[in-house]
Amino acid sequence: MDVLMLSRIQYAATTIFHFFFVPVSIGLAFLIAIMETMYVVKGKEEYKDMAKFWGKLFLINFAIGVVTGILQEFQFGMNWSDYSRFVGDVFGAPLAVEALLAFFLESTFIGLWIFGWDRLSKKVHMICIWLVAIGTVMSAFWILAANSFMQRPVGFTMNNGRAEMNDFLALITNGQLLLEFPHTILAAFLTGAFLIGGVSAYKLLKKQNVSFFKKSFTIAMIVGVVSSIGVALVGHQQAQYLVKTQPMKMAASEALWETSPDPAPWTVAAFIDTKNQKNTGEIQIPYMLSFLSYSKFSGDVKGMKELQAEYEQKYGPGDYIPPVRTTFWSFRFMVAAGSLMILFSMYGVYLAARKKLENRNKWFYRIMLFSISLPFIANTTGWIMTEIGRQPWTVFGLMTTADSVSPSVTSGQVLFSLIVFVGAYAILGGVMVYLFVRTIKKGPYEVKAVEESHDPFDKEGYRHAIS
Amino acid sequence: MLSLNELWFLLIAVLFTGFFFLEGFDFGIGMSTGILAKTDNERRLLINSIGPFWDGNEVWLLTAGGAMFAAFPNWYATLFSGFYTPLVLLLLALIGRGVAFEYRGKVQKESWKKTWDILIFTGSLLPPLLLGVVFSDLIQGLPIDQAMEMKASFFGDIVNVYSVVGGLTMVMLCLVHGLLFATLRVSGDLHDRARKMARNLMVPLAVLVVAFLTLTYFNTNVFEVRGGILAAVIVVMIAALALAAMFSGKKRDGWAFGMTGVVIAATIAFFFIGLFPNVMISSIDTAFNLTITNAASGHYSLKVMTIVALSLLPFVLGYQIWSYFVFHKRVNEKHLEY
């Protein structure tokens, strides 16, 4: 295989892996901050225990997010040096700001949070986790500002064959960013919510620490319902924005070869024949695509063949159609996973509001346990659609992926790095899952109770005795 | 008055200095878990002595990388693609080490801890070695062509006698620096042994520094270009080294640690002054050198970044210093998180 293909595989593999952990960090930091705030406001020890227990999972996850993030920053230069030369002027700035503004904040205050339980006052300690949470969100903002430039380049001028920044404000008020950022952040909150919700459901199924996990479950489901609906609403805006800014990605995510009739139907599923550029079978819902694209039940959507002809005129000869099947199906997986999460979290909130969390909900708890996978499916497929759907470009309309790769790096080098990184990541993933399961099985009180108290009338000991 | 290009060159030098000063002792502590600690408890004490800090310290490297990308995209692109294989190893080391700190104490099994201990030790040894090699290569010159592409052989261009001596010097410097940091953070027998080992390593460190400087004289042209100011830097370096040895002999641990910090700062200053105004030196033709001008971003970008960086850095420094203040007490066995 050539350097380009190997580099793309490596980039995809390491980035997808990295992005398993990032949303969990963002989501859990936020939820833990809420729990610790409840502890400070209400003064109940149980909320502190919640912050600590979910904090353990957060830290196991955070460590991998941090170390795999270093690789992310390095590999632009390592594997995509021509890309880095071309856009560094614009793209490097948000990355540098991300490090200065967000990485320092989260790394310093996470240290204070871990080691500061006995050394800081309650309030200052709570502020530390909020600063971590804010740090993770700001980190997302800046890296998405960089990514948004790749989707819709703004705030730059071409100079000596390079993109040079000429409007920083335009860069951080990019319409793409103003949608991509809330979509990603809400998805991250949703990820945290479904992780806590799923683990709590498992514990409730096992009838362990019922009060503790009922409270956790309720907080998670409230955050879950708000963010899942929010994600969908922003997603709808994104689709309308996509039609305007990257119509080819839109057409590919709909497997729309020919320009649609007006009003446009939405294709639920299709057999896609990329070779002959047509679909051999489709299931469609009338009017739906018009609604997705324009929020009204009329209007046609341009197909890939027409766009290909337009792009050839504009950018010269070439194949401007992204991998259609991948784009089409990843969009559908994302939407399906997102819709299920809306349903499940609504039902979860309903149960909590009716105080029915204990009775006869075994099937629902089992569903919630398996639903831990849903946000990960949605996050991953969402990014696959966004990045694969932009191909053949790295920066839409300006630079292709083929032109981005490092000319001085050999395929042997990339093969070596691909193997060691994927190997290392696989081991890390395995270890992390092992530690997660172990921590969850131990539950919030076991260690504490054994180490600190054997007296059933002591506070912790009592809790141990009933749990 | 500094031009923006000069200012960013200086800022990147400052970021690397901050990185090696702070993460330098983390690396040293990591290495000392392998060679100083005798028991699991001592290893835990050492790891916890940097527990709240190491992650924040590592961000200095990330920020330096980000600053290179933003201010000198061609430097970032040429260096990171040219040093591909060493950077793969560096990343593996940093990945293993970071996770090891967090995971080591999670399972009370001998084999589990042993595995992470190996990662902590090698993950703390490799980064200063590799970065020392990279910095030495930078001032020695590398095969960079007209298109700013660096096509370097791993053995020869990247790994050679000079760069290896540079790498080993960096390793030894971090180790001594870390041992002296330990004297400030732990107590009892471990503290005494840390001080003793630091003192014993002063001579090998001095030998390495002298060897490195001598080889620099023969392998690079930095003294021809900037002889005067580099001589001053060397005087500071040697004097601080001697003072570090003296203070550690007199059991003035804080002062000794400060002095190895000065040696580190002088070493990074040495590299950057040697480079200036180049950022990478071509061994093919000096016309192909990457400089603070031809590798840089546009004026607008540098201006925006300057405003952002200079307004944020005071806060970053403020809360990082505060975190050291919060955890100024020596670690004890009752408060171990890792």
Side-chain angles (χ1 to χ4, degrees):
Chain A
M1 261 190 282
D2 62 346
V3 178
L4 177 63
M5 201 58 211
L6 288 166
S7 298
R8 290 184 68 186
I9 294 171
Q10 178 172 306
Y11 193 87
T14 53
T15 308
I16 287 171
F17 187 81
H18 176 62
F19 207 73
F20 287 150
F21 303 94
V22 171
V24 176
S25 290
I26 298 173
L28 284 186
F30 177 67
L31 279 149
I32 292 166
I34 291 178
M35 290 166 182
E36 195 168 341
T37 307
M38 292 177 83
Y39 163 62
V40 173
V41 173
K42 295 193 172 180
K44 270 194 194 170
E45 283 291 314
E46 193 169 31
Y47 287 112
K48 181 184 176 183
D49 299 335
M50 280 161 69
K52 279 200 163 178
F53 174 71
W54 299 112
K56 277 184 203 161
L57 297 185
F58 170 75
L59 293 174
I60 293 170
N61 168 81
F62 189 73
I64 299 197
V66 168
V67 295
T68 53
I70 310 173
L71 192 150
Q72 291 302 109
E73 198 205 45
F74 278 32
Q75 69 176 336
F76 295 113
M78 290 168 67
N79 294 84
W80 307 98
S81 66
D82 271 358
Y83 169 81
S84 304
R85 283 181 216 286
F86 181 74
V87 296
D89 197 301
V90 192
F91 189 89
L95 258 66
V97 179
E98 186 190 15
L100 259 175
L101 195 61
F103 292 163
F104 272 124
L105 195 69
E106 55 185 33
S107 61
T108 307
F109 284 95
I110 197 67
L112 282 156
W113 190 78
I114 300 172
F115 288 84
W117 283 103
D118 305 327
R119 290 193 180 85
L120 299 168
S121 75
K122 270 185 183 179
K123 276 186 190 155
V124 174
H125 194 265
M126 175 192 80
I127 291 170
C128 287
I129 190 70
W130 275 111
L131 289 172
V132 173
I134 292 168
T136 60
V137 171
M138 286 200 298
S139 163
F141 178 84
W142 291 100
I143 193 65
L144 292 174
N147 177 267
S148 294
F149 178 80
M150 301 167 77
Q151 314 291 345
R152 178 172 175 258
V154 290
F156 74 102
T157 172
M158 291 302 292
N159 194 5
N160 298 324
R162 307 185 323 137
E164 282 190 5
M165 194 200 299
N166 68 1
D167 191 346
F168 186 63
L169 201 64
L171 194 68
I172 58 173
T173 54
N174 190 343
Q176 172 75 24
L177 174 65
L178 299 182
L179 295 170
E180 195 174 290
F181 173 62
H183 191 72
T184 311
I185 288 299
L186 289 168
F189 290 168
L190 188 53
T191 308
F194 267 69
L195 183 63
I196 291 185
V199 172
S200 300
Y202 168 78
K203 286 300 206 181
L204 291 171
L205 201 60
K206 298 254 168 189
K207 295 199 166 59
Q208 293 168 353
N209 311 105
V210 173
S211 153
F212 180 99
F213 285 108
K214 257 167 70 180
K215 284 200 179 71
S216 301
F217 188 80
T218 306
I219 295 171
M221 285 304 102
I222 292 170
V223 171
V225 82
V226 173
S227 31
S228 61
I229 293 172
V231 168
L233 291 176
V234 180
H236 179 52
Q237 300 294 316
Q238 281 174 298
Q240 298 177 56
Y241 192 75
L242 195 60
V243 180
K244 283 184 269 177
T245 55
Q246 294 181 80
M248 183 62 99
K249 189 191 286 182
M250 185 65 176
S253 72
E254 293 307 322
L256 197 61
W257 297 101
E258 313 291 342
T259 297
S260 77
D262 180 2
W266 187 65
T267 307
V268 182
F271 293 105
I272 301 164
D273 180 355
T274 47
K275 210 170 174 189
N276 298 308
Q277 304 206 324
K278 61 173 190 182
N279 301 335
T280 50
E282 292 169 330
I283 306 170
Q284 294 185 320
I285 306 176
Y287 297 102
M288 253 320 253
L289 183 55
S290 289
F291 179 74
L292 283 178
S293 311
Y294 310 110
S295 279
K296 57 181 186 180
F297 293 100
S298 63
D300 58 6
V301 176
K302 271 189 194 169
M304 286 179 276
K305 286 183 181 172
E306 190 180 335
L307 289 163
Q308 168 70 23
E310 276 180 26
Y311 284 12
E312 274 180 36
Q313 285 234 308
K314 201 168 169 189
Y315 305 116
D319 182 3
Y320 298 100
I321 298 177
V324 180
R325 273 198 212 102
T326 313
T327 314
F328 179 87
W329 284 110
S330 52
F331 180 56
R332 269 140 200 83
F333 273 104
M334 176 184 76
V335 170
S339 308
L340 287 176
M341 285 190 277
I342 294 177
L343 281 179
F344 295 160
S345 54
M346 281 171 97
Y347 190 67
V349 168
Y350 163 79
L351 287 182
R354 287 292 178 96
K355 304 209 181 303
K356 283 184 175 174
L357 280 180
E358 271 149 298
N359 341 325
R360 303 184 301 277
N361 289 310
K362 283 202 162 179
W363 59 270
F364 181 61
Y365 289 148
R366 284 202 192 100
I367 287 178
M368 285 309 292
L369 176 59
F370 287 104
S371 296
I372 292 177
S373 62
L374 291 177
F376 295 94
I377 292 170
N379 293 337
T380 308
T381 50
W383 276 113
I384 288 175
M385 177 208 164
T386 308
E387 297 297 299
I388 293 279
R390 193 192 56 234
Q391 301 302 322
W393 305 104
T394 38
V395 186
F396 181 78
L398 292 181
M399 186 179 222
T400 64
T401 309
D403 289 338
S404 302
V405 76
S406 298
S408 64
V409 174
T410 64
S411 56
Q413 285 177 307
V414 186
L415 187 63
F416 164 70
S417 63
L418 177 63
I419 291 169
V420 295
F421 287 147
V422 169
Y425 279 16
I427 295 168
L428 280 188
V431 172
M432 186 257 176
V433 169
Y434 165 75
L435 283 176
F436 246 63
V437 171
R438 199 183 141 95
T439 310
I440 291 163
K441 284 203 170 150
K442 268 191 180 172
Y445 295 119
E446 196 184 353
V447 177
K448 236 178 163 180
V450 171
E451 275 179 4
E452 286 177 14
S453 176
H454 295 283
D455 180 1
F457 295 98
D458 185 294
K459 190 183 63 184
E460 297 297 334
Y462 166 71
R463 204 175 266 148
H464 180 59
I466 58 162
S467 63
Chain B
M1 196 47 200
L2 285 177
S3 74
L4 286 181
N5 299 50
E6 288 164 347
L7 177 71
W8 274 93
F9 183 81
L10 180 69
L11 266 177
I12 289 167
V14 168
L15 288 167
F16 272 109
T17 307
F19 170 70
F20 278 107
F21 180 87
L22 296 167
E23 189 82 334
F25 63 70
D26 294 344
F27 291 142
I29 292 283
M31 286 185 260
S32 65
T33 59
I35 55 176
L36 178 72
K38 286 179 178 164
T39 62
D40 176 56
N41 202 32
E42 289 186 349
R43 266 187 277 281
R44 285 190 70 194
L45 284 167
L46 286 170
I47 295 168
N48 277 275
S49 77
I50 55 167
F53 314 126
W54 71 268
D55 191 5
N57 294 345
E58 202 161 281
V59 174
W60 286 80
L61 176 68
L62 284 176
T63 310
M68 280 170 83
F69 196 175
F72 303 104
N74 283 318
W75 188 11
Y76 170 78
T78 305
L79 191 149
F80 280 66
S81 60
F83 284 104
Y84 191 88
T85 306
L87 290 180
V88 171
L89 300 175
L90 175 72
L91 286 168
L92 282 177
L94 292 177
I95 288 170
R97 169 177 174 275
V99 174
F101 286 142
E102 194 60 48
Y103 288 2
R104 183 185 185 279
K106 299 260 178 221
V107 179
Q108 302 303 321
K109 249 196 326 207
E110 195 61 17
S111 57
W112 174 269
K113 291 191 166 185
K114 276 262 159 60
T115 313
W116 296 115
D117 284 339
I118 293 168
L119 288 176
I120 290 177
F121 181 76
T122 49
S124 302
L125 179 95
L126 275 178
L129 180 68
L130 293 162
L131 291 169
V133 166
V134 169
F135 274 103
S136 309
D137 285 335
L138 285 184
I139 58 171
Q140 182 173 234
L142 291 148
I144 296 168
D145 66 19
Q146 200 162 11
M148 295 186 172
E149 293 301 332
M150 164 179 159
K151 290 183 175 131
S153 58
F154 186 73
F155 293 103
D157 291 329
I158 292 174
V159 176
N160 48 62
V161 174
Y162 174 62
S163 68
V164 169
V165 171
L168 290 175
T169 309
M170 203 56 110
V171 169
M172 190 58 87
L173 192 48
C174 289
L175 177 56
V176 174
H177 191 52
L179 288 166
L180 290 172
F181 183 73
T183 63
L184 300 173
R185 298 283 293 145
V186 298
S187 40
D189 181 48
L190 185 61
H191 163 273
D192 297 344
R193 277 189 287 129
R195 182 195 281 147
K196 198 173 160 214
M197 186 179 271
R199 232 171 36 219
N200 290 342
L201 289 175
M202 287 292 177
V203 174
L205 175 60
V207 171
L208 277 168
V209 168
V210 171
F212 173 70
L213 292 173
T214 314
L215 284 171
T216 304
Y217 181 79
F218 290 110
N219 284 276
T220 76
N221 67 349
V222 295
F223 291 109
E224 291 155 43
V225 185
R226 316 229 162 257
I229 184 162
L230 284 185
V233 173
I234 289 172
V235 169
V236 172
M237 205 188 291
I238 302 286
L241 196 56
L243 284 171
M246 189 197 85
F247 281 126
S248 121
K250 291 191 172 172
K251 304 189 177 176
R252 307 282 294 269
D253 297 328
W255 283 95
F257 172 72
M259 284 304 130
T260 49
V262 173
V263 180
I264 286 179
T267 309
I268 303 304
F270 183 84
F271 285 123
F272 276 82
I273 292 169
L275 273 176
F276 186 83
N278 302 305
V279 292
M280 290 185 93
I281 294 166
S282 170
S283 55
I284 301 173
D285 187 335
T286 50
F288 303 159
N289 286 356
L290 271 68
T291 69
I292 60 165
T293 315
N294 71 10
S297 284
H299 185 76
Y300 177 83
S301 202
L302 291 178
K303 203 173 72 187
V304 169
M305 288 301 300
T306 305
I307 295 166
V308 173
L310 294 184
S311 48
L312 288 178
L313 258 182
F315 292 99
V316 172
L317 286 173
Y319 61 66
Q320 275 212 330
I321 291 168
W322 179 64
S323 86
Y324 282 88
F325 175 75
V326 169
F327 303 107
H328 68 280
K329 282 192 186 145
R330 289 172 196 271
V331 287
N332 65 58
E333 283 156 41
K334 282 185 193 134
H335 284 98
L336 298 183
E337 297 289 339
Y338 283 149

